[in-house]
Amino acid sequence: MSARRARVVLASASPRRRELLARAGLDFEIDPAHVDETLAPGVEPVAAARELSERKARAVARRHAEPAFVLGADTVVALERGHGSWELFAKPDSPEEAAAMLRALSGTRHAVVTGLCVVRTSDQRAFLESERTWVTMRALAAPEIEAYVSTGEWRDKAGGYAIQESADRFVTALEGGGFDNVVGLPVARALALLRLAGACLAG
C-alpha cells in the first residue's frame, strides 16, 4: 500500500517563497499568517527567526482541522554590534526607512537568518530549524542608495534589499548558507524538515 501524499500548507503570502517551493516540485496550498511580529528587546537573530516562524505556523495550523503540515518561515537581517548584541532589520515601511537600512548595512558583513517551523496538525507538534547566511555588502554611495530605493524593490524585503533582483550587485560574498536562504526560504532545509515531521513528499 503506497503512502498517502502529504497535504502541505505554506503559511506565507510571499511570492518568493511560493516560487522557490514550486520550483522544487512541491504541491502545496497557501494560507498566509497574519501575526504580531513584535519581539522582546535583545533577542538574537536565530531565536527571533524561529520564534516568528513558529507563530506563523501555529496561527495557520489552528485554522486547519484536516491533517496537514503547515510550514511557516520568517527571515531576519541582523548586524552584530559587539558584546553579543544585534541590530535586527525587518521590512521597511517607507523609502526613508529602506534608505536608512541600506546605509546601516553598507560595507558590512551581516547575517540573514531564516527560521522554519512545521506544525503537524494531527497533534500540533512543532518542528523547528533555521539557516544563516553571512552576506558581505560592499560600501554603497549615497546616489546608489537613492537610485535603488527609487526602484521600489525594497518593499516587503527584510533589510530593504532583494538579492534576487538588482541588489545582487551590492553583494560581494555569501558564506555559510545558501542564496535561496537570502531570498527567503532555504528549500532543501524546508523539505527535510517537512519529512522529519512525517510528511510524505514526492521524490
Side-chain angles (χ1 to χ4, degrees), residues 44-76:
E44 60 91 28
V46 171
R50 287 188 175 207
E51 179 179 339
L52 293 175
S53 70
E54 184 172 3
R55 284 186 203 175
K56 293 176 180 181
R58 287 198 180 280
V60 171
R62 286 193 289 269
R63 302 200 289 256
H64 290 265
E66 294 298 317
F69 297 86
V70 179
L71 172 63
D74 191 86
T75 301
V76 300

Side-chain angles (χ1 to χ4, degrees), residues 15-189:
R16 298 168 301 284
R17 293 189 179 118
R18 181 170 66 239
E19 182 181 356
L20 286 167
L21 278 184
R23 278 188 198 166
L26 186 68
D27 291 326
F28 59 96
E29 303 168 27
I30 298 170
D31 187 357
H34 302 284
V35 299
D36 177 11
E37 297 192 19
T38 305
L39 292 164
V43 65
E44 60 91 28
V46 171
R50 287 188 175 207
E51 179 179 339
L52 293 175
S53 70
E54 184 172 3
R55 284 186 203 175
K56 293 176 180 181
R58 287 198 180 280
V60 171
R62 286 193 289 269
R63 302 200 289 256
H64 290 265
E66 294 298 317
F69 297 86
V70 179
L71 172 63
D74 191 86
T75 301
V76 300
V77 175
L79 185 59
E80 194 168 13
R81 291 301 191 184
H83 306 291
S85 66
W86 294 85
E87 182 177 359
L88 302 185
F89 298 84
K91 298 170 185 173
D93 293 322
S94 67
E96 294 75 21
E97 191 175 0
M101 288 183 181
L102 287 170
R103 285 193 295 272
L105 295 171
S106 170
T108 70
R109 179 177 180 268
H110 54 272
V112 177
V113 180
T114 300
L116 299 170
C117 179
V118 173
V119 172
R120 187 170 59 198
T121 61
S122 61
D123 59 3
Q124 293 298 307
R125 182 178 172 188
F127 299 79
L128 290 159
E129 250 294 11
S130 60
E131 182 162 311
R132 178 174 62 189
T133 304
W134 289 101
V135 177
T136 301
M137 182 179 284
R138 64 174 175 80
L140 306 179
E144 285 184 292
I145 293 174
E146 182 180 352
Y148 181 75
V149 170
S150 72
T151 68
E153 284 183 12
W154 56 270
R155 298 182 190 279
D156 198 38
K157 310 293 193 310
Y161 71 92
I163 194 172
Q164 72 276 18
E165 297 178 40
S166 65
D168 62 345
R169 68 185 187 274
F170 301 155
V171 174
T172 60
L174 299 177
E175 306 165 63
F179 179 89
D180 56 357
N181 180 55
V182 183
V183 175
L185 188 74
V187 175
R189 203 172 292 267

Side-chain angles (χ1 to χ4, degrees), residues 2-8 25-28 67-69 198-203:
S2 62
R4 193 169 125 187
R5 185 72 55 82
R7 178 170 165 252
V8 175
L26 186 68
D27 291 326
F28 59 96
F69 297 86
C200 178
L201 307 179

